[in-house]
Structures are given as structure tokens and as C-alpha cells.
Amino acid sequence: MTANVHTATGHERRELSKLRPRKPSEKFFKIIDYRPFGFQREIHSNPALYRVAIIGRQSGKSELAAAEAAFELTCVPNSYGWIVAPTYEQANIIFSRTYEKVEKAIQFIPSAKITTYSRRDMKLEVTHYDREGKLLGISKFAGKSADKPNNLRGASLTYVILDEAAMVLKEVWDEALAPTLSTTNGWV
């Protein structure tokens, strides 16, 4: 019996490079006690690097974002992401929910440990180890305000959660955030 093997063309390889390599699973959702609605599940399972949720107020966008960030922090060594919102207070909502989900997740993921947490500075780090205790990497997450775009420059991020994007100046995305993702093929 012969297998039908397809070798990706240059165009197909470029298209595949635009997909997220890892996505949260139902098992992960269960350990963080998160039950996604249909639209949330659809967004979680979408492999696109750029995903936009245009949905009404109080619909679960912040929970969706926190679950994505918690997955990156606990399951993807060396990930580095930000929650960016128009104000620090708005960023703190998703940052706090992310921390709560990470706390739940690490109870079931012994290779991940919270090593830095500051609610005031909105910084969270999770260190990853292999079964022998060897360091695999450190994943980082921080909350940022979009009111000073120059403070958003220079990092190389693997993901950005942009909350209340309609209230953020276009220049913040174009000149500060998009470039931070370009070197890592990061997702939004």
C-alpha cells in the first residue's frame, strides 16, 4: 500500500507559518475550570495568528483572553506576552483573571511553577522544568497601558492580547505592537 504524500509548495509553507503552533485543549479548559461558549471554543480552535472577537459586552471575551494567556504561561516554555488595554485598570482585569487560571493550572502541571508575581506591576512569570528538574524556560506575561505607545516598543513578544482595541489608537498597533510580534511570528 502506498501513501499519498504532498510536499508543501513555497506558498503553502508561507501560509502554514501564519498559524499558531499550539492551542489550548479541552483538557486544559477542564483543569482551569473554564467552560467555553460556542464562539469562545471557535476562537480558541482557530489556528490563525490574528484573531479578532467583535462581540457584545459581558459576553466572555475577557475569560477567553485569560484562558489563552494561562495556556501560554503554563504550557509553552519561553512564551512572552502582554495584555494591552487603553488603561492599566482595564489591563488589570484580564491580568488578574489570567493569574487565577494559572494558579489552578499549575496544580495539575507539576513542571510549571509561578516564580514571579506582582499584581501592582502586573508581572507574572512561570518557570518550566523537565522531569529531572532541568530548566526548560521561563514564560512571562505583563499588563500594559496603550496610553504611552513609546513604552510598548522594543520587546519581542510571542503573543499580545489587545483589549478594547477600538479605543486604542491605530498608531499603537502599527508602530508599537505589530513590530513586537514580527520577529517571533507571534499571535494576537
Short mmCIF file of all heavy atoms in Angstrom, two decimals, residues 12-63:
data_model
loop_
_atom_site.label_atom_id
_atom_site.label_comp_id
_atom_site.label_asym_id
_atom_site.label_seq_id
_atom_site.Cartn_x
_atom_site.Cartn_y
_atom_site.Cartn_z
N GLU A 12 2.36 27.48 0.20
CA GLU A 12 1.72 26.74 1.29
C GLU A 12 2.56 26.81 2.57
O GLU A 12 2.03 26.94 3.66
CB GLU A 12 1.49 25.29 0.89
CG GLU A 12 0.40 25.12 -0.16
CD GLU A 12 0.35 23.73 -0.74
OE1 GLU A 12 1.41 23.07 -0.84
OE2 GLU A 12 -0.75 23.31 -1.11
N ARG A 13 3.89 26.76 2.43
CA ARG A 13 4.75 26.88 3.61
C ARG A 13 4.59 28.26 4.25
O ARG A 13 4.55 28.39 5.47
CB ARG A 13 6.21 26.61 3.25
CG ARG A 13 6.53 25.14 3.12
CD ARG A 13 8.04 24.89 3.06
NE ARG A 13 8.68 25.50 1.91
CZ ARG A 13 8.76 24.94 0.71
NH1 ARG A 13 8.25 23.75 0.50
NH2 ARG A 13 9.36 25.56 -0.28
N ARG A 14 4.51 29.30 3.42
CA ARG A 14 4.30 30.65 3.97
C ARG A 14 2.96 30.73 4.69
O ARG A 14 2.85 31.33 5.75
CB ARG A 14 4.39 31.70 2.86
CG ARG A 14 5.81 32.02 2.44
CD ARG A 14 5.87 33.21 1.52
NE ARG A 14 5.12 33.03 0.29
CZ ARG A 14 5.54 32.35 -0.78
NH1 ARG A 14 6.73 31.80 -0.77
NH2 ARG A 14 4.80 32.25 -1.87
N GLU A 15 1.94 30.12 4.12
CA GLU A 15 0.62 30.14 4.75
C GLU A 15 0.65 29.37 6.07
O GLU A 15 0.06 29.80 7.05
CB GLU A 15 -0.46 29.57 3.82
CG GLU A 15 -0.75 30.47 2.63
CD GLU A 15 -1.20 31.86 3.05
OE1 GLU A 15 -2.13 31.98 3.86
OE2 GLU A 15 -0.60 32.84 2.57
N LEU A 16 1.31 28.22 6.11
CA LEU A 16 1.40 27.44 7.34
C LEU A 16 2.16 28.20 8.42
O LEU A 16 1.86 28.05 9.60
CB LEU A 16 2.07 26.09 7.07
CG LEU A 16 1.24 25.07 6.30
CD1 LEU A 16 2.08 23.87 5.95
CD2 LEU A 16 0.02 24.66 7.11
N SER A 17 3.12 29.03 8.03
CA SER A 17 3.88 29.78 9.02
C SER A 17 3.02 30.85 9.69
O SER A 17 3.41 31.42 10.70
CB SER A 17 5.11 30.43 8.39
OG SER A 17 4.73 31.51 7.58
N LYS A 18 1.85 31.11 9.14
CA LYS A 18 0.94 32.09 9.72
C LYS A 18 -0.02 31.47 10.72
O LYS A 18 -0.95 32.11 11.18
CB LYS A 18 0.14 32.78 8.60
CG LYS A 18 1.00 33.58 7.65
CD LYS A 18 0.15 34.15 6.54
CE LYS A 18 1.04 34.80 5.49
NZ LYS A 18 0.25 35.23 4.34
N LEU A 19 0.20 30.22 11.08
CA LEU A 19 -0.69 29.52 12.01
C LEU A 19 -0.03 29.38 13.37
O LEU A 19 1.19 29.24 13.48
CB LEU A 19 -1.05 28.14 11.47
CG LEU A 19 -1.72 28.11 10.10
CD1 LEU A 19 -1.98 26.67 9.68
CD2 LEU A 19 -3.00 28.91 10.10
N ARG A 20 -0.83 29.41 14.42
CA ARG A 20 -0.31 29.21 15.76
C ARG A 20 0.12 27.76 15.91
O ARG A 20 -0.63 26.85 15.54
CB ARG A 20 -1.39 29.49 16.81
CG ARG A 20 -1.75 30.92 16.93
CD ARG A 20 -2.67 31.16 18.10
NE ARG A 20 -3.85 30.31 18.02
CZ ARG A 20 -4.58 29.97 19.05
NH1 ARG A 20 -4.26 30.38 20.25
NH2 ARG A 20 -5.65 29.21 18.91
N PRO A 21 1.29 27.50 16.47
CA PRO A 21 1.76 26.11 16.60
C PRO A 21 1.02 25.33 17.68
O PRO A 21 0.89 24.13 17.58
CB PRO A 21 3.24 26.26 16.95
CG PRO A 21 3.37 27.62 17.51
CD PRO A 21 2.30 28.46 16.87
N ARG A 22 0.53 25.99 18.73
CA ARG A 22 -0.15 25.29 19.82
C ARG A 22 -1.42 26.05 20.20
O ARG A 22 -1.44 27.27 20.19
CB ARG A 22 0.74 25.22 21.05
CG ARG A 22 2.00 24.45 20.84
CD ARG A 22 2.77 24.39 22.17
NE ARG A 22 4.02 23.71 22.00
CZ ARG A 22 5.21 24.32 22.02
NH1 ARG A 22 5.28 25.60 22.18
NH2 ARG A 22 6.30 23.63 21.87
N LYS A 23 -2.43 25.29 20.58
CA LYS A 23 -3.69 25.87 21.02
C LYS A 23 -4.15 25.15 22.29
O LYS A 23 -3.85 23.98 22.47
CB LYS A 23 -4.77 25.71 19.94
CG LYS A 23 -4.43 26.36 18.63
CD LYS A 23 -5.51 26.09 17.60
CE LYS A 23 -5.60 24.67 17.21
NZ LYS A 23 -5.13 24.24 15.97
N PRO A 24 -4.89 25.84 23.16
CA PRO A 24 -5.38 25.17 24.37
C PRO A 24 -6.38 24.07 24.02
O PRO A 24 -7.11 24.17 23.04
CB PRO A 24 -6.04 26.30 25.17
CG PRO A 24 -6.23 27.42 24.22
CD PRO A 24 -5.26 27.24 23.11
N SER A 25 -6.41 23.04 24.85
CA SER A 25 -7.27 21.88 24.61
C SER A 25 -8.42 21.84 25.62
O SER A 25 -8.42 22.55 26.63
CB SER A 25 -6.45 20.60 24.76
OG SER A 25 -6.03 20.47 26.11
N GLU A 26 -9.37 20.97 25.37
CA GLU A 26 -10.48 20.76 26.30
C GLU A 26 -9.95 20.31 27.66
O GLU A 26 -10.48 20.68 28.71
CB GLU A 26 -11.46 19.74 25.74
CG GLU A 26 -12.24 20.23 24.53
CD GLU A 26 -13.13 21.44 24.82
OE1 GLU A 26 -13.71 21.52 25.93
OE2 GLU A 26 -13.24 22.32 23.95
N LYS A 27 -8.90 19.50 27.66
CA LYS A 27 -8.31 19.04 28.92
C LYS A 27 -7.79 20.24 29.73
O LYS A 27 -7.99 20.32 30.93
CB LYS A 27 -7.18 18.05 28.64
CG LYS A 27 -6.53 17.49 29.88
CD LYS A 27 -5.45 16.48 29.54
CE LYS A 27 -4.79 15.96 30.80
NZ LYS A 27 -3.70 15.03 30.51
N PHE A 28 -7.12 21.15 29.04
CA PHE A 28 -6.63 22.35 29.72
C PHE A 28 -7.79 23.17 30.27
O PHE A 28 -7.75 23.64 31.42
CB PHE A 28 -5.76 23.20 28.79
CG PHE A 28 -5.20 24.41 29.47
CD1 PHE A 28 -4.13 24.30 30.34
CD2 PHE A 28 -5.76 25.66 29.26
CE1 PHE A 28 -3.62 25.41 30.99
CE2 PHE A 28 -5.26 26.78 29.92
CZ PHE A 28 -4.20 26.65 30.79
N PHE A 29 -8.84 23.35 29.48
CA PHE A 29 -10.00 24.11 29.94
C PHE A 29 -10.58 23.50 31.22
O PHE A 29 -10.98 24.21 32.13
CB PHE A 29 -11.08 24.16 28.86
CG PHE A 29 -10.67 24.89 27.61
CD1 PHE A 29 -11.26 24.56 26.40
CD2 PHE A 29 -9.72 25.89 27.62
CE1 PHE A 29 -10.90 25.22 25.24
CE2 PHE A 29 -9.35 26.56 26.46
CZ PHE A 29 -9.95 26.22 25.27
N LYS A 30 -10.59 22.18 31.27
CA LYS A 30 -11.16 21.49 32.43
C LYS A 30 -10.33 21.77 33.69
O LYS A 30 -10.89 22.04 34.75
CB LYS A 30 -11.24 19.99 32.17
CG LYS A 30 -11.96 19.24 33.24
CD LYS A 30 -12.15 17.79 32.87
CE LYS A 30 -12.91 17.07 33.97
NZ LYS A 30 -13.18 15.68 33.64
N ILE A 31 -9.01 21.74 33.58
CA ILE A 31 -8.19 21.94 34.78
C ILE A 31 -8.23 23.39 35.28
O ILE A 31 -7.98 23.63 36.46
CB ILE A 31 -6.73 21.44 34.62
CG1 ILE A 31 -5.95 22.27 33.63
CG2 ILE A 31 -6.69 19.98 34.28
CD1 ILE A 31 -4.47 21.94 33.60
N ILE A 32 -8.55 24.33 34.41
CA ILE A 32 -8.67 25.72 34.88
C ILE A 32 -10.13 26.08 35.16
O ILE A 32 -10.44 27.24 35.41
CB ILE A 32 -8.02 26.73 33.91
CG1 ILE A 32 -8.71 26.74 32.54
CG2 ILE A 32 -6.52 26.48 33.79
CD1 ILE A 32 -8.27 27.88 31.64
N ASP A 33 -11.00 25.08 35.10
CA ASP A 33 -12.42 25.26 35.41
C ASP A 33 -13.05 26.32 34.50
O ASP A 33 -13.70 27.26 34.96
CB ASP A 33 -12.59 25.64 36.89
CG ASP A 33 -14.02 25.46 37.35
OD1 ASP A 33 -14.73 24.62 36.78
OD2 ASP A 33 -14.42 26.19 38.29
N TYR A 34 -12.84 26.14 33.22
CA TYR A 34 -13.33 27.07 32.21
C TYR A 34 -14.18 26.30 31.22
O TYR A 34 -13.74 25.29 30.67
CB TYR A 34 -12.13 27.73 31.53
CG TYR A 34 -12.40 28.52 30.27
CD1 TYR A 34 -13.19 29.66 30.28
CD2 TYR A 34 -11.80 28.14 29.07
CE1 TYR A 34 -13.39 30.40 29.14
CE2 TYR A 34 -12.00 28.88 27.92
CZ TYR A 34 -12.79 30.01 27.95
OH TYR A 34 -12.99 30.75 26.81
N ARG A 35 -15.39 26.74 31.03
CA ARG A 35 -16.31 26.09 30.10
C ARG A 35 -16.63 27.05 28.97
O ARG A 35 -17.55 27.86 29.10
CB ARG A 35 -17.57 25.65 30.83
CG ARG A 35 -17.32 24.56 31.84
CD ARG A 35 -18.53 24.32 32.74
NE ARG A 35 -18.17 23.51 33.88
CZ ARG A 35 -17.65 23.97 35.01
NH1 ARG A 35 -17.40 25.24 35.14
NH2 ARG A 35 -17.37 23.16 36.00
N PRO A 36 -15.88 26.99 27.88
CA PRO A 36 -16.07 27.97 26.80
C PRO A 36 -17.42 27.83 26.11
O PRO A 36 -17.93 26.73 25.90
CB PRO A 36 -14.93 27.68 25.83
CG PRO A 36 -14.44 26.33 26.17
CD PRO A 36 -14.80 26.05 27.59
N PHE A 37 -18.00 28.99 25.79
CA PHE A 37 -19.19 29.04 24.96
C PHE A 37 -18.80 28.68 23.53
O PHE A 37 -17.61 28.61 23.21
CB PHE A 37 -19.81 30.44 24.96
CG PHE A 37 -20.24 30.93 26.31
CD1 PHE A 37 -19.80 32.15 26.79
CD2 PHE A 37 -21.10 30.18 27.10
CE1 PHE A 37 -20.20 32.63 28.03
CE2 PHE A 37 -21.51 30.65 28.35
CZ PHE A 37 -21.06 31.87 28.81
N GLY A 38 -19.78 28.52 22.67
CA GLY A 38 -19.52 28.15 21.28
C GLY A 38 -18.57 29.10 20.58
O GLY A 38 -17.61 28.68 19.93
N PHE A 39 -18.81 30.42 20.67
CA PHE A 39 -17.94 31.37 19.99
C PHE A 39 -16.53 31.34 20.58
O PHE A 39 -15.54 31.52 19.87
CB PHE A 39 -18.53 32.79 20.00
CG PHE A 39 -18.21 33.58 21.24
CD1 PHE A 39 -17.04 34.34 21.31
CD2 PHE A 39 -19.06 33.57 22.33
CE1 PHE A 39 -16.74 35.07 22.45
CE2 PHE A 39 -18.77 34.30 23.47
CZ PHE A 39 -17.61 35.05 23.53
N GLN A 40 -16.43 31.13 21.90
CA GLN A 40 -15.11 31.07 22.53
C GLN A 40 -14.34 29.84 22.04
O GLN A 40 -13.16 29.93 21.69
CB GLN A 40 -15.24 31.01 24.05
CG GLN A 40 -15.75 32.29 24.67
CD GLN A 40 -16.15 32.10 26.11
OE1 GLN A 40 -16.75 31.08 26.47
NE2 GLN A 40 -15.84 33.08 26.95
N ARG A 41 -15.02 28.72 21.98
CA ARG A 41 -14.39 27.48 21.50
C ARG A 41 -13.92 27.66 20.05
O ARG A 41 -12.85 27.22 19.67
CB ARG A 41 -15.39 26.32 21.62
CG ARG A 41 -14.78 24.97 21.33
CD ARG A 41 -15.73 23.83 21.66
NE ARG A 41 -15.60 23.48 23.07
CZ ARG A 41 -16.51 23.77 24.02
NH1 ARG A 41 -17.63 24.35 23.71
NH2 ARG A 41 -16.30 23.42 25.27
N GLU A 42 -14.74 28.33 19.25
CA GLU A 42 -14.38 28.57 17.85
C GLU A 42 -13.11 29.43 17.75
O GLU A 42 -12.22 29.16 16.96
CB GLU A 42 -15.55 29.27 17.14
CG GLU A 42 -15.37 29.44 15.66
CD GLU A 42 -16.60 30.07 15.02
OE1 GLU A 42 -17.72 29.84 15.51
OE2 GLU A 42 -16.41 30.78 14.03
N ILE A 43 -13.02 30.45 18.58
CA ILE A 43 -11.83 31.31 18.56
C ILE A 43 -10.62 30.56 19.09
O ILE A 43 -9.53 30.63 18.51
CB ILE A 43 -12.09 32.61 19.36
CG1 ILE A 43 -13.12 33.47 18.61
CG2 ILE A 43 -10.79 33.39 19.58
CD1 ILE A 43 -13.64 34.65 19.40
N HIS A 44 -10.78 29.80 20.18
CA HIS A 44 -9.66 29.02 20.71
C HIS A 44 -9.11 28.04 19.67
O HIS A 44 -7.91 27.84 19.58
CB HIS A 44 -10.08 28.21 21.94
CG HIS A 44 -10.28 29.01 23.18
ND1 HIS A 44 -9.31 29.82 23.72
CD2 HIS A 44 -11.36 29.11 24.00
CE1 HIS A 44 -9.78 30.38 24.82
NE2 HIS A 44 -11.02 29.97 25.02
N SER A 45 -9.99 27.43 18.92
CA SER A 45 -9.55 26.40 17.98
C SER A 45 -9.06 26.97 16.65
O SER A 45 -8.47 26.26 15.85
CB SER A 45 -10.67 25.39 17.72
OG SER A 45 -11.76 26.02 17.08
N ASN A 46 -9.28 28.24 16.44
CA ASN A 46 -8.86 28.87 15.18
C ASN A 46 -7.32 28.98 15.17
O ASN A 46 -6.74 29.58 16.06
CB ASN A 46 -9.49 30.25 15.05
CG ASN A 46 -9.26 30.87 13.70
OD1 ASN A 46 -8.18 30.79 13.15
ND2 ASN A 46 -10.29 31.50 13.18
N PRO A 47 -6.67 28.43 14.15
CA PRO A 47 -5.20 28.44 14.13
C PRO A 47 -4.57 29.74 13.62
O PRO A 47 -3.36 29.87 13.61
CB PRO A 47 -4.87 27.28 13.18
CG PRO A 47 -6.02 27.28 12.23
CD PRO A 47 -7.23 27.64 13.05
N ALA A 48 -5.39 30.71 13.23
CA ALA A 48 -4.85 31.96 12.68
C ALA A 48 -4.04 32.71 13.73
O ALA A 48 -4.34 32.67 14.92
CB ALA A 48 -5.99 32.83 12.16
N LEU A 49 -3.02 33.41 13.27
CA LEU A 49 -2.23 34.23 14.18
C LEU A 49 -3.00 35.47 14.63
O LEU A 49 -2.84 35.94 15.75
CB LEU A 49 -0.93 34.67 13.51
CG LEU A 49 0.11 33.58 13.28
CD1 LEU A 49 1.33 34.15 12.58
CD2 LEU A 49 0.53 32.94 14.59
N TYR A 50 -3.81 36.02 13.76
CA TYR A 50 -4.56 37.24 14.07
C TYR A 50 -6.04 36.89 14.17
O TYR A 50 -6.66 36.54 13.18
CB TYR A 50 -4.33 38.31 13.01
CG TYR A 50 -2.91 38.82 13.01
CD1 TYR A 50 -1.90 38.12 12.37
CD2 TYR A 50 -2.58 39.98 13.68
CE1 TYR A 50 -0.60 38.57 12.39
CE2 TYR A 50 -1.27 40.44 13.69
CZ TYR A 50 -0.29 39.73 13.06
OH TYR A 50 1.01 40.18 13.09
N ARG A 51 -6.57 36.97 15.39
CA ARG A 51 -7.97 36.67 15.63
C ARG A 51 -8.60 37.87 16.32
O ARG A 51 -8.02 38.43 17.25
CB ARG A 51 -8.10 35.42 16.52
CG ARG A 51 -7.51 34.19 15.84
CD ARG A 51 -7.33 33.05 16.81
NE ARG A 51 -6.32 33.41 17.80
CZ ARG A 51 -6.31 32.97 19.04
NH1 ARG A 51 -7.24 32.16 19.47
NH2 ARG A 51 -5.37 33.33 19.88
N VAL A 52 -9.79 38.25 15.87
CA VAL A 52 -10.49 39.41 16.43
C VAL A 52 -11.87 38.96 16.86
O VAL A 52 -12.60 38.36 16.09
CB VAL A 52 -10.60 40.55 15.38
CG1 VAL A 52 -11.37 41.72 15.96
CG2 VAL A 52 -9.23 40.98 14.90
N ALA A 53 -12.22 39.27 18.11
CA ALA A 53 -13.54 38.94 18.63
C ALA A 53 -14.36 40.22 18.71
O ALA A 53 -14.13 41.06 19.58
CB ALA A 53 -13.42 38.30 20.01
N ILE A 54 -15.28 40.38 17.78
CA ILE A 54 -16.17 41.54 17.78
C ILE A 54 -17.51 41.05 18.30
O ILE A 54 -18.35 40.55 17.56
CB ILE A 54 -16.30 42.15 16.36
CG1 ILE A 54 -14.91 42.52 15.84
CG2 ILE A 54 -17.22 43.37 16.40
CD1 ILE A 54 -14.89 42.94 14.40
N ILE A 55 -17.66 41.16 19.60
CA ILE A 55 -18.80 40.58 20.29
C ILE A 55 -19.24 41.57 21.37
O ILE A 55 -18.44 42.36 21.86
CB ILE A 55 -18.40 39.22 20.92
CG1 ILE A 55 -17.92 38.28 19.82
CG2 ILE A 55 -19.56 38.58 21.67
CD1 ILE A 55 -17.12 37.13 20.30
N GLY A 56 -20.50 41.53 21.75
CA GLY A 56 -21.06 42.46 22.71
C GLY A 56 -20.42 42.42 24.08
O GLY A 56 -19.64 41.52 24.41
N ARG A 57 -20.83 43.39 24.90
CA ARG A 57 -20.33 43.50 26.27
C ARG A 57 -20.79 42.31 27.10
O ARG A 57 -21.85 41.74 26.86
CB ARG A 57 -20.84 44.79 26.90
CG ARG A 57 -20.32 46.02 26.19
CD ARG A 57 -20.76 47.26 26.88
NE ARG A 57 -20.14 47.26 28.20
CZ ARG A 57 -20.60 47.96 29.23
NH1 ARG A 57 -21.67 48.69 29.11
NH2 ARG A 57 -19.99 47.91 30.39
N GLN A 58 -19.97 41.96 28.08
CA GLN A 58 -20.28 40.90 29.04
C GLN A 58 -20.56 39.55 28.37
O GLN A 58 -21.38 38.77 28.82
CB GLN A 58 -21.50 41.31 29.90
CG GLN A 58 -21.28 42.57 30.71
CD GLN A 58 -20.17 42.43 31.73
OE1 GLN A 58 -20.12 41.45 32.46
NE2 GLN A 58 -19.26 43.38 31.77
N SER A 59 -19.85 39.29 27.28
CA SER A 59 -20.08 38.05 26.53
C SER A 59 -19.03 36.98 26.79
O SER A 59 -19.20 35.85 26.37
CB SER A 59 -20.14 38.35 25.03
OG SER A 59 -18.93 38.96 24.61
N GLY A 60 -17.94 37.33 27.48
CA GLY A 60 -16.92 36.34 27.79
C GLY A 60 -15.59 36.53 27.09
O GLY A 60 -14.75 35.63 27.10
N LYS A 61 -15.37 37.70 26.50
CA LYS A 61 -14.10 37.95 25.81
C LYS A 61 -12.92 37.95 26.77
O LYS A 61 -11.87 37.41 26.47
CB LYS A 61 -14.15 39.27 25.04
CG LYS A 61 -15.17 39.32 23.92
CD LYS A 61 -15.14 40.63 23.17
CE LYS A 61 -15.45 41.84 23.99
NZ LYS A 61 -16.82 41.95 24.49
N SER A 62 -13.11 38.54 27.95
CA SER A 62 -12.01 38.59 28.92
C SER A 62 -11.66 37.20 29.44
O SER A 62 -10.48 36.89 29.64
CB SER A 62 -12.37 39.51 30.09
OG SER A 62 -12.50 40.85 29.64
N GLU A 63 -12.65 36.36 29.66
CA GLU A 63 -12.39 34.98 30.09
C GLU A 63 -11.64 34.22 29.00
O GLU A 63 -10.72 33.46 29.28
CB GLU A 63 -13.70 34.26 30.43
CG GLU A 63 -14.26 34.63 31.77
CD GLU A 63 -13.35 34.22 32.92
OE1 GLU A 63 -13.03 33.02 33.05
OE2 GLU A 63 -12.94 35.11 33.68
#
